[in-house]
């Protein structure tokens, strides 16, 4: 399990920091795409000509600054989420390996990835949900507030903490947990397949080749994760819009929105830009995460096949 590497509290802090930086930076960088995707989901009748047309329409009507709407809560929210998500995945998979032993962990690495991702994402979503609700409120109504700092107290005063910040907690769990499970499991699976297809091994490939595999497998994982989690992402965007789904409980509002929207629109509205966004995000996140871990001197954990001397 990593040879002489020490997986202590310092390691987990480094992995959490790397996760926070990779998620905060990448989500902030693609904020314009996220704005367009959210507007397509919220106003499909207005933005019905595709991603590029929606970009042009928003810029023409509201200016370039509109594409940065919600940047503050996006960067802060996803830094916090990345901290708990990547740090949590490292924590849970290392603890699982220590409990099971290297051979059992190697043979069950996909289930461990799935379980570690689900647990870490649940914790991360508790912290992400208020910031995601704030971002969507700002994107759906740019006049609501000037930014994160002014929007937070306004939402609390207007709707309270639970309704204002956690109306979308159910959808965010249904969106983020399957997304994160697919993200980590598919990336690991895709990397193995790519190495095999090009007749390379991670331990003998050059840094450039390993980076290429990380980016390629990251794109694959991102697209798969985006498709799996998109219906819940659409509901999450809609539930945070004022008055959406009526005035009943969160569950009844979600059912109302799902019924009104229809299965096809839940699955397809905004899917194109989201696949682009998540594919780029995921590839960038794995590349940045590995780079930051190396920069901090952390020897990254790998599942180890005990029958071979090389690490997986």
């Amino acid at each position: 399990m990593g040879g002489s590497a020490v997986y202590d509290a310092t390691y987990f802090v480094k992995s959490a920091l790397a996760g926070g930086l990779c998620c905060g930076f990448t989500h902030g960088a693609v904020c314009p795409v996220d704005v367009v995707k959210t507007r397509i989901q919220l106003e499909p009748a207005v933005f019905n000509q595709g991603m590029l047309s929606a970009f042009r329409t928003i810029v023409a009507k509201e200016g370039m600054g509109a594409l940065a709407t919600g940047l503050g809560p996006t960067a802060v929210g996803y830094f916090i989420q990345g901290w708990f998500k990547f740090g949590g995945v490292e924590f849970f998979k290392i603890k699982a390996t220590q409990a099971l032993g290297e051979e059992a962990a190697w043979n069950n690495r996909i289930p461990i990835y799935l379980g570690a991702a689900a647990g870490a994402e649940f914790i991360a979503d508790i912290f992400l949900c208020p910031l995601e609700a704030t971002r969507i409120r700002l994107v759906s109504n740019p006049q609501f507030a000037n930014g994160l700092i002014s929007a937070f107290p306004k939402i609390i005063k207007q709707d309270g903490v639970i309704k204002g910040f956690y109306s979308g907690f159910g959808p965010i769990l249904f969106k983020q947990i399957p997304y994160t499970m697919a993200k980590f499991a598919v990336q690991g699976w895709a990397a193995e397949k790519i190495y095999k297809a090009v007749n390379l091994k991670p331990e003998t490939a050059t840094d450039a080749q390993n980076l290429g595999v990380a980016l390629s497998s990251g794109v694959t994982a991102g697209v798969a994760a985006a498709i799996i989690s998109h219906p819940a992402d659409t509901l999450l965007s809609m539930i945070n819009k004022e008055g959406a789904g009526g005035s009943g409980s969160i569950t009844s509002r979600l059912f109302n929105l799902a019924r009104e929207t229809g299965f096809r629109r839940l699955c397809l509205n905004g899917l194109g830009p989201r696949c682009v966004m998540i594919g780029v995000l995921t590839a960038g996140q794995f590349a940045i995460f590995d780079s930051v871990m190396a920069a901090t001197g952390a020897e990254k954990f790998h599942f180890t096949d005990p029958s071979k001397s090389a690490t997986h």
Side-chain angles (χ1 to χ4, degrees):
M1 197 175 84
S4 61
V6 177
Y7 301 110
D8 56 7
T10 300
Y11 176 85
F12 295 126
V13 170
K14 289 178 179 179
S15 63
L17 175 63
L21 290 173
C22 77
C23 288
F25 177 80
T26 52
H27 276 275
V30 298
C31 183
V33 179
D34 209 11
V35 168
V36 173
K37 181 268 299 182
T38 303
R39 295 289 287 274
I40 290 172
Q41 291 172 320
L42 293 176
E43 303 173 78
V46 177
F47 303 103
N48 57 7
Q49 298 298 316
M51 181 177 173
L52 293 178
S53 175
F55 262 109
R56 289 194 293 267
T57 300
I58 292 170
V59 171
K61 291 184 176 180
E62 303 170 35
M64 287 293 294
L67 297 177
T69 303
L71 178 59
T74 296
V76 173
Y78 281 95
F79 177 88
I80 296 171
Q81 187 232 24
W83 177 282
F84 287 101
K85 176 164 70 175
F86 277 83
V89 167
E90 290 296 302
F91 177 84
F92 287 130
K93 70 184 183 183
I94 288 172
K95 293 302 180 182
T97 299
Q98 291 172 341
L100 295 172
E102 288 189 5
E103 184 175 358
W106 170 257
N107 292 331
N108 294 281
R109 60 194 183 280
I110 297 301
I112 291 173
Y113 269 128
L114 293 172
E121 187 61 53
F122 180 85
I123 296 169
D125 288 345
I126 295 172
F127 297 92
L128 173 65
C129 196
L131 291 144
E132 181 70 355
T134 304
R135 180 193 70 81
I136 292 172
R137 184 71 65 92
L138 291 171
V139 171
S140 64
N141 180 13
Q143 287 73 46
F144 179 77
N146 292 326
L148 173 62
I149 295 176
S150 58
F152 243 65
K154 191 171 182 180
I155 291 173
I156 293 172
K157 181 179 180 180
Q158 180 173 306
D159 297 324
V161 173
I162 300 301
K163 181 180 179 182
F165 291 136
Y166 286 97
S167 288
F169 190 57
I172 211 171
L173 291 178
F174 283 115
K175 165 194 167 184
Q176 289 294 137
I177 289 180
Y179 159 77
T180 300
M181 293 170 71
K183 174 179 177 174
F184 283 94
V186 172
Q187 193 271 338
W189 171 85
E192 289 184 10
K193 295 298 183 182
I194 294 169
Y195 278 120
K196 184 176 180 180
V198 298
N199 197 28
L200 285 173
K201 294 182 179 180
E203 58 271 21
T204 57
T206 66
D207 289 344
Q209 288 170 331
N210 281 327
L211 179 60
V213 172
L215 291 171
S216 300
S217 59
V219 170
T220 303
V223 172
I227 293 170
I228 289 170
S229 62
H230 192 67
D233 182 69
T234 301
L235 284 176
L236 178 63
S237 292
M238 297 172 70
I239 196 69
N240 283 296
K241 189 175 182 180
E242 291 183 62
S247 58
S249 66
I250 294 174
T251 301
S252 67
R253 291 171 62 203
L254 289 172
F255 275 115
N256 290 340
L257 287 171
R259 185 173 58 251
E260 293 166 5
T261 305
F263 181 75
R264 182 176 181 277
R265 286 173 60 193
L266 281 177
C267 293
L268 298 178
N269 277 359
L271 179 60
R274 188 158 187 265
C275 283
V276 172
M277 181 183 74
I278 299 301
V280 172
L281 274 174
T282 305
Q285 284 173 3
F286 281 107
I288 294 170
F289 180 81
D290 287 358
S291 298
V292 174
M293 289 290 279
T296 62
E299 184 177 336
K300 187 179 175 185
F301 170 86
H302 294 282
F303 287 107
T304 303
D305 184 351
S307 67
K308 299 178 181 178
S309 59
T311 57
H312 170 64

